[in-house]
Amino acid sequence: MTRSLKSFSRIVVKIGSALLVERGELKRAWLDALISDLAGLAKSGADVLIVSSGSIALGRGILGLPKGPLKLEESQAAAAAGQIALAQAYADALGAHGKKAGQILLTLGDTEERRRYLNARATIGTLLKLGAVPIINENDSVATSEIRYGDNDRLAARVATMASADCLVLLSDIDGLYTAPPAQNPDAVFLPEVPRITAEIEAMAGSAGSELSRGGMKTKIDAGKIATAAGTSMVITSGKELNPLQRLEEGARGTWFPALSSPASARKAWIGGHLEPRGRVTLDDGAVKAMTSGKSLLPAGVADVSGSFGRGDAVILTDKAGRTIGRGLIAYDADEAQLIAGRNSKEIEAIVGYPGRAEMIHRDDLVLEDAFLSGTR
């Protein structure tokens, strides 16, 4: 695959807290250098978007909060104070290159619920059309553990699919993916490219998070699954030095995850990127075979149903061995799905009392796991 950022037309860059904030203060020289890199990409014709952590870390310094874990209300207060300073810093840095900034704060629901997802997508598209650079962060001042992403790696992947970006850059405190955490294993081997995210690749992802960062390598691999399935290439590279994007262009180390050959439709990209499935549906062997050949899921192929979900919610699909096959939007509430599991579609009306859909999950509402598919070929 091509490894030049200048070959992509729309690029999302994710920045972690540890790269941007040190001891509660913004690393302005680092930020200015990064914005210089982004301005260069924009000058060559690319749309650029930024997904930035840092509001809590910066707000902690502004409000004089102590080191160590914060209470929820302290984190939210820190985010509220830090976000103002962070947005101003981006506006100033971009302004020096004649660019405008537009801030978008998202919660998990903004990308999990279809209508809000489309609204956010429209806002991003309009900012880009007007020549502004969207600066996107999780809305930490209001998000609680139940409604948050918890990491900006997966948020960045959702933003990339939402914006139809063809490249996602994860700037990290590590220069890519290794066969084992390099800090713990001196024999760990660096991987310059990962053609497909298989179960073996997922097993390599250790939990190498820093004090300020909630994301380790696992969340980066999760981000790669979301991005590549939707037609977005991804690269993990170090952001520790100044001008990290320019350094990547000049051959600095990074692990590339090429987009899959056939990008998903916008709807399937949204389904595949769901982070909060509400239930689990276990399939029999016949249904698994039907799924992999492009068929819808009929009630007759369902061996078990668990979870609390409503019609239209996302659920995980597994085989009898517990392997994840994919996910989809289910056409029945949980109690109805349990009643019709294993039954013929012709019996649905007699069981639930109305003529429901013949499919429990229609193939248009179904996305299969690439790691599962690659293992069946």
Side-chain angles (χ1 to χ4, degrees):
M1 66 165 291
T2 176
R3 295 185 184 175
S4 170
L5 292 178
K6 289 181 179 176
S7 66
F8 296 102
S9 60
R10 183 166 288 180
I11 302 166
V12 174
V13 178
K14 180 262 175 179
I15 302 163
S17 295
L19 300 176
L20 193 58
V21 181
E22 189 171 39
R23 293 190 291 274
E25 293 190 2
L26 191 70
K27 296 162 68 175
R28 291 190 179 275
W30 186 91
L31 178 60
D32 289 342
L34 175 78
I35 296 301
S36 177
D37 288 354
L38 286 171
L41 290 172
K43 198 171 182 180
S44 67
D47 290 331
V48 292
L49 303 86
I50 298 171
V51 174
S52 177
S53 303
S55 62
I56 294 177
L58 190 56
R60 182 195 286 263
I62 292 170
L63 298 178
L65 291 166
K67 287 185 177 181
L70 298 175
K71 297 175 183 176
L72 174 62
E73 60 271 22
E74 290 175 328
S75 291
Q76 292 176 329
Q83 195 61 50
I84 293 174
L86 193 61
Q88 186 62 57
Y90 275 113
D92 290 346
L94 286 163
H97 294 272
K99 304 290 289 183
K100 303 292 185 185
Q103 178 180 265
I104 303 175
L105 298 178
L106 298 174
T107 61
L108 184 63
D110 294 321
T111 57
E112 297 290 274
E113 295 177 23
R114 182 66 172 164
R115 184 178 297 175
R116 288 159 69 181
Y117 175 94
L118 293 173
N119 286 340
R121 174 184 169 93
T123 302
I124 289 171
T126 302
L127 283 170
L128 291 171
K129 193 180 297 182
L130 295 172
V133 176
I135 311 295
I136 300 157
N137 193 4
E138 183 161 16
N139 194 349
D140 288 309
S141 62
V142 298
T144 62
S145 58
E146 292 80 18
I147 61 168
R148 71 176 303 117
Y149 285 89
D151 67 88
N152 270 1
D153 294 321
R154 294 183 301 169
L155 171 59
R158 293 304 304 272
V159 167
T161 63
M162 181 190 289
S164 300
D166 50 359
C167 184
L168 168 62
V169 182
L170 299 184
L171 294 179
S172 178
D173 53 5
I174 191 169
D175 55 9
L177 178 65
Y178 290 74
T179 52
Q184 302 166 21
N185 187 342
D187 298 322
V189 177
F190 174 76
L191 302 177
E193 184 170 320
V194 176
R196 284 185 179 275
I197 298 175
T198 61
E200 290 75 19
I201 292 296
E202 292 188 66
M204 293 175 189
S207 54
S210 68
E211 178 192 353
L212 294 175
S213 172
R214 290 185 292 260
M217 190 55 70
K218 182 184 183 305
T219 64
K220 291 172 176 55
I221 297 303
D222 289 344
K225 289 167 65 177
I226 295 168
T228 57
T232 303
S233 294
M234 188 181 87
V235 58
I236 302 169
T237 191
S238 174
K240 285 185 172 180
E241 304 293 332
L242 295 180
N243 302 102
L245 302 182
Q246 181 182 319
R247 287 170 56 81
L248 185 63
E249 278 294 284
E250 293 171 351
R253 195 178 254 192
T255 299
W256 287 86
F257 298 75
L260 302 183
S261 55
S262 54
S265 69
R267 181 172 176 78
K268 292 217 171 192
W270 172 68
I271 296 169
H274 257 286
L275 304 180
E276 295 291 333
R278 301 297 181 187
R280 181 179 300 269
V281 175
T282 304
L283 314 185
D284 64 25
D285 294 342
V288 171
K289 189 173 181 181
M291 294 293 93
T292 55
S293 63
K295 301 289 179 59
S296 297
L297 174 62
L298 302 178
V302 175
D304 187 50
V305 175
S306 62
S308 178
F309 53 83
R311 179 183 177 186
D313 282 344
V315 296
I316 291 286
L317 304 174
T318 68
D319 63 10
K320 285 186 172 180
R323 294 182 301 170
T324 299
I325 296 167
R327 60 185 64 201
L329 305 183
I330 197 157
Y332 291 91
D333 294 339
D335 55 350
E336 294 174 337
Q338 289 167 353
L339 288 173
I340 64 174
R343 306 294 288 268
N344 190 291
S345 296
K346 294 177 181 177
E347 302 176 79
I348 290 175
E349 184 172 3
I351 295 170
V352 300
Y354 66 93
R357 286 177 63 165
E359 309 89 358
M360 191 173 283
I361 300 178
H362 192 275
R363 63 185 180 186
D364 291 343
D365 294 332
L366 176 70
V367 178
L368 298 181
E369 190 91 352
D370 186 58
F372 177 82
L373 282 175
S374 60
T376 64
R377 292 187 182 114

